[in-house]
Amino acid sequence: MSEDKRSIELTRIAENHYRATAPSGASIEFGRGEGLMTPVELLLAAVAGCSSIDVDTVTSRHTEPTRFDVSAQADKIDEDGASRVDNVHLDFNLDFPDDEDGRKADARVEKLVGLSHDKYCTVSRTVEHPTNVNFSIHRA
């Protein structure tokens, strides 16, 4: 097992409004309120995005898709006041040009989605496996 650390920094912008910033400087704002994705929606976006990158990277070597849309859904579960999501489902809606390269790309989709799920998508594999989450608190 290799160790390759990943990180973000989170800053409060306002009540229930936060900005996560990656070491690269890329950032996204989220929270609770109008115009903001919730953390659960970000989790679904991360699962869909991770698998989309896996599929897109390979199929785009053949041709550009004419449609590449992925939706993600999950059931929110309440277990005696403790909430989580379960039954995460991705729905890939993909189309490629009706030519030789498009047919090559299309022929690979099913296998690529399976490989993403079983091996390559760090996000969905993390959600599916027990993952340690620890907290520490620091005060000025």
Side-chain angles (χ1 to χ4, degrees), residues 61-128:
R61 291 179 190 153
H62 297 287
T63 190
E64 282 294 305
T66 55
R67 179 178 180 189
F68 198 115
D69 297 321
V70 182
S71 61
Q73 302 86 31
D75 298 326
K76 186 171 180 187
I77 308 292
D78 183 315
E79 298 171 324
D80 297 322
S83 59
R84 65 182 181 88
V85 294
D86 198 9
N87 302 315
V88 176
H89 176 80
L90 300 183
D91 187 19
F92 285 80
N93 292 292
L94 311 175
D95 288 315
F96 298 95
D98 187 17
D99 58 20
E100 184 178 345
D101 289 337
R103 287 186 286 279
K104 284 180 185 176
D106 188 63
R108 301 195 70 187
V109 169
E110 191 170 327
K111 182 176 181 179
L112 292 169
V113 169
L115 283 169
S116 179
H117 174 267
D118 296 340
K119 187 174 183 180
Y120 296 119
C121 178
T122 303
V123 180
S124 64
R125 290 184 47 73
T126 299
V127 170
E128 288 186 326

Side-chain angles (χ1 to χ4, degrees), residues 126 129-135:
T126 299
H129 290 82
T131 303
N132 295 323
V133 177
N134 300 298
F135 298 86

